[in-house]
Amino acid sequence: MKLLKKLIPILEWLPGYKKSQLRGDIVAGITVATVLIPQGIAYALIAGLPPIYGLYAALMPQLMYAVFGSSRQVAIGPVAMDSLIVATGVSTLALIGSESYIAIAILLALMVGSIQLLMGLFRLGFIVNFLSRPVIIGFTSAVALIIGLNQFRNLFGVEFLQSDQVHILLEDIINRISYFSINTTIIGVIACIIIMIFRKINKKIPNALIVVVLGIIVLRFFENYFLDVAIVKGVPSGLPKFTIPIIDIALVRELFPIAVTLVMVGYLEIISIGKTLEAKQDEYRIRPNQELVALGLSNIVGSLFQSYPSTSSFSRSAINEEAGGKTGVSAIVSVLIVILTLLFLTPLFYHLPKTILAAIIIVAVFNLINIKEAKRLWRANNLDFWLLIATFFSTITFGIEHGILIGVGLSLIVLIFRTSRPYVIELGKVPNSDFYRNKHRFNEVVTDREVLVFRFDAQLFYANSNYFREKLEEMVEEKGKTLKLIVLDAESINRVDSTGIEMLKERIKYYNKRNIAFYFAGVKGPVRDAFFRGGVLEVVSLDHFFMRANGAVNFFKTGDNQNQKKYAQYIHQAYD
């Protein structure tokens, strides 16, 4: 039963559901639905799909996540970023809005879900750890800018190009901006202002719903004055039918890079949102691999009911938590309201101006451009700042797909750089104590010309073994001909590979020939085992392993230490 609860988290919280939670969940579900419905219609337009598909993407994915998701407050459904990625990928394979375009978008949801499910089942959630926070922020900010600029076509009523490369967008906007529709622009700009005012007053106010209702009323009763304003027109009623997507192997190959991008972006979003919400309560904990399973099932089942790829929404998740949502019941309430809308209310959206939808999207996504974090990184960490900037400009220049790949590549390069050049420092003795500390941070520490005690702050492996050797040679050269003892404080070394061991053995032999002893201090058990298996005891005595650097120096100075003999015996017994 415990395993079943872990696989299906709803079984964990539903049996203990409290009546006191119901009111908050119902209010949160209604509030999220009032935001989700206009957003769903808007995001479907970004994806190049008919508006109804935005509502389809708000049904089964939400329901499946409520059952299988480890977070009880994350809101699933159509989002702006995924919608643009879908448009970018699918528009190269079919005409936007055509039957084949819709079929490909639905197949993409099935592919994304399958990859996510397999990653979750095989516990591959750690892969996303290779995307650092600066890369995520740079990528998210760039995509937000791309999405916003793409919506200028609806905001101004001009058929600008759709692209995920900002320079192409800006060039087309500059060349054709003079053809803008005055009425369309006025309605769109006023909607933007209203949304921003309501957001400043109180974020709980359903600003998207308010501008949608106002827009429909204006166009419904004053249609003759706004003939040039594009409206949504017919949104069909009814629930999505169960259909199995047509699987074409050649098409699957074409879509695979886009699917992987959507998997990475979707997982990053849900983990970052889930962790943020998790920190605000003590009821549950996010399980990354379970989130992949939940997202996978949401997209797979969603694709069977005509949904395009969906993931978690930053704004709707925050609204859900702020409105009092505590469990997945709020998502179920939200689904019921979307069902009622699909069955009875879609005709009301006939007169909805597309410029209103553009306003909703533009205000929402431009808030994702994180200038504050870039400023903070500039002060805190220059390398992370340039990583963010490089990812941002790569994405807006080369497009979303290449941007995420460049971001991953840069993250790996920075990771390799940092692990291949870790912190290496000489330690000095704190007066009247047994402790050794960084000589550059503690001015009062004492160093000895005959002794070099140094610390290596990383695992020792093939990527940094040469760096270890170079830094050691520099410190030895600085000590000069008076040096008689080298002590490696290995407390910070948590792993070592064969390359690192062979380099150590070679260095020990070299310094022994120069009559310089080589001792180890603070070696962790697993690292010590690796040393012994690698043959370190062939070049150094077991007596030369110490608990602390101070013990190593004392042993060298006095030539005898009862405690060290006991420690050597202890190690010998443990090794045997």
Side-chain angles (χ1 to χ4, degrees):
M1 189 61 183
K2 192 175 180 181
L3 178 62
L4 196 61
K5 284 181 178 179
K6 195 174 180 182
L7 295 172
I8 310 174
I10 195 173
L11 298 178
E12 190 175 355
W13 58 262
L14 191 59
Y17 189 79
K18 301 170 186 174
K19 285 184 180 180
S20 58
Q21 296 174 319
L22 186 60
R23 184 180 178 279
D25 282 337
I26 290 174
V27 171
I30 294 169
T31 308
V32 169
T34 58
V35 176
L36 172 58
I37 291 165
Q39 278 190 348
I41 293 170
Y43 295 157
L45 293 178
I46 294 179
L49 296 165
I52 194 72
Y53 286 89
L55 299 181
Y56 290 166
L59 289 178
M60 294 310 295
Q62 269 202 107
L63 206 54
M64 295 305 295
Y65 186 82
V67 175
F68 293 98
S70 62
S71 173
R72 301 173 195 176
Q73 294 166 303
V74 165
I76 298 294
V79 295
M81 195 181 300
D82 281 27
S83 299
L84 184 63
I85 296 171
V86 169
T88 303
V90 180
S91 61
T92 61
L93 303 172
L95 183 66
I96 287 178
S98 65
E99 289 297 322
S100 59
Y101 184 97
I102 295 168
I104 293 170
I106 293 169
L107 172 61
L108 188 56
L110 179 63
M111 288 177 61
V112 169
S114 301
I115 296 169
Q116 287 169 332
L117 180 60
L118 287 172
M119 285 180 68
L121 293 175
F122 287 100
R123 307 185 69 79
L124 298 177
F126 70 90
I127 289 173
V128 175
N129 293 335
F130 290 110
L131 276 178
S132 64
R133 178 175 165 78
V135 166
I136 296 167
I137 292 168
F139 178 74
T140 304
S141 298
V143 172
L145 181 62
I146 292 167
I147 292 168
L149 290 175
N150 270 288
Q151 283 308 299
F152 278 16
R153 68 203 311 267
N154 289 322
L155 187 72
F156 297 126
V158 183
E159 287 298 314
F160 297 126
L161 287 173
Q162 276 196 298
S163 174
D164 62 349
Q165 294 172 282
V166 166
H167 60 281
I168 294 173
L169 281 169
L170 288 175
E171 183 183 359
D172 195 53
I173 289 169
I174 291 165
N175 290 336
R176 302 170 71 178
I177 192 67
S178 58
Y179 299 103
F180 76 99
S181 164
I182 294 174
N183 287 333
T184 302
T185 304
I186 289 171
I187 292 172
V189 170
I190 290 173
C192 286
I193 293 168
I194 291 171
I195 292 169
M196 287 189 287
I197 289 171
F198 281 130
R199 283 175 68 91
K200 284 204 169 186
I201 295 170
N202 191 332
K203 288 185 179 180
K204 292 182 182 180
I205 297 172
N207 50 67
L209 185 64
I210 289 169
V211 294
V212 163
V213 171
L214 289 174
I216 291 171
I217 291 170
V218 169
L219 266 292
R220 171 70 180 82
F221 294 103
F222 302 98
E223 187 176 2
N224 292 334
Y225 297 98
F226 299 102
L227 293 173
D228 58 335
V229 177
I231 56 176
V232 170
K233 294 186 178 178
V235 179
S237 297
L239 299 176
K241 294 178 182 177
F242 175 84
T243 52
I244 298 173
I246 298 168
I247 299 171
D248 183 323
I249 300 301
L251 202 55
V252 167
R253 278 199 218 100
E254 292 267 6
L255 290 171
F256 189 75
I258 297 293
V260 171
T261 303
L262 285 165
V263 167
M264 296 289 281
V265 171
Y267 183 50
L268 281 170
E269 286 179 336
I270 201 164
I271 290 299
S272 57
I273 296 166
K275 289 288 184 185
T276 302
L277 296 176
E278 176 192 83
K280 295 182 179 182
Q281 50 72 52
D282 297 315
E283 295 291 321
Y284 62 86
R285 289 290 172 266
I286 293 292
R287 301 201 304 273
N289 288 303
Q290 183 63 32
E291 290 299 281
L292 275 170
V293 170
L295 265 183
L297 290 171
S298 296
N299 278 305
I300 290 170
V301 177
S303 71
L304 302 177
F305 290 90
Q306 302 179 57
S307 167
Y308 72 97
S310 57
T311 186
S312 55
S313 162
F314 283 96
S315 58
R316 295 195 300 270
S317 298
I319 289 168
N320 187 35
E321 190 268 335
E322 287 172 6
K326 298 295 182 187
T327 70
V329 169
S330 64
I332 296 168
V333 171
S334 183
V335 168
L336 291 173
I337 293 171
V338 174
I339 289 171
L340 290 173
T341 302
L342 283 166
L343 291 175
F344 307 111
L345 304 178
T346 52
L348 297 176
F349 293 102
Y350 183 91
H351 289 96
L352 175 59
K354 288 185 178 179
T355 187
I356 295 281
L357 297 175
I360 294 168
I361 294 164
I362 288 168
V363 175
V365 299
F366 278 176
N367 282 318
L368 296 177
I369 300 174
N370 201 335
I371 297 171
K372 190 182 288 185
E373 182 65 13
K375 288 179 179 177
R376 189 190 69 80
L377 287 177
W378 173 254
R379 294 190 301 270
N381 190 312
N382 269 344
L383 184 58
D384 281 350
F385 170 80
W386 289 114
L387 188 57
L388 185 154
I389 294 298
T391 305
F392 177 83
F393 281 104
S394 298
T395 306
I396 65 173
T397 304
F398 303 113
I400 290 172
E401 187 181 339
H402 292 96
I404 195 75
L405 291 174
I406 290 169
V408 172
L410 290 172
S411 283
L412 290 173
I413 289 168
V414 169
L415 175 66
I416 292 167
F417 175 78
R418 283 173 171 162
T419 53
S420 65
R421 300 179 69 83
Y423 196 62
V424 185
I425 192 65
E426 182 183 352
L427 306 178
K429 186 175 181 181
V430 178
N432 302 315
S433 78
D434 294 337
F435 300 108
Y436 277 74
R437 293 291 182 266
N438 185 335
K439 72 173 187 177
H440 295 309
R441 287 184 176 272
F442 299 88
N443 296 327
E444 69 274 14
V445 299
V446 179
T447 57
D448 188 337
R449 296 295 297 175
E450 293 186 345
V451 177
L452 168 63
V453 180
F454 77 103
R455 193 181 70 224
F456 188 78
D457 289 345
Q459 60 175 308
L460 181 58
F461 69 126
Y462 65 91
N464 61 24
S465 59
N466 281 335
Y467 182 73
F468 178 101
R469 175 176 172 159
E470 289 168 9
K471 296 300 288 184
L472 177 56
E473 285 179 355
E474 285 176 17
M475 289 184 287
V476 168
E477 192 175 329
E478 189 180 327
K479 287 287 182 182
K481 294 181 180 179
T482 59
L483 182 65
K484 293 189 172 75
L485 171 67
I486 296 171
V487 180
L488 169 59
D489 185 334
E491 195 172 1
S492 299
I493 300 175
N494 53 23
R495 192 169 295 162
V496 63
D497 72 353
S498 58
T499 306
I501 290 171
E502 290 304 313
M503 181 276 300
L504 267 179
K505 287 163 65 178
E506 183 271 326
R507 286 291 87 191
I508 292 168
K509 288 178 186 175
Y510 172 77
Y511 290 120
N512 284 345
K513 285 179 184 177
R514 294 176 57 184
N515 295 317
I516 300 173
F518 199 106
Y519 291 178
F520 293 88
V523 183
K524 294 176 181 175
V527 176
R528 191 169 59 241
D529 292 344
F531 281 165
F532 293 172
R533 288 196 300 268
V536 170
L537 290 181
E538 296 169 9
V539 295
V540 70
S541 167
L542 191 63
D543 289 344
H544 292 174
F545 283 81
F546 300 82
M547 289 188 71
R548 290 184 180 179
N550 187 65
V553 176
N554 286 342
F555 181 80
F556 178 77
K557 295 279 188 182
T558 62
D560 184 34
N561 189 315
Q562 197 65 29
N563 289 332
Q564 173 54 19
K565 288 182 178 179
K566 289 180 181 178
Y567 183 60
Q569 288 174 354
Y570 170 75
I571 293 175
H572 185 73
Q573 289 170 0
Y575 182 61
D576 287 344

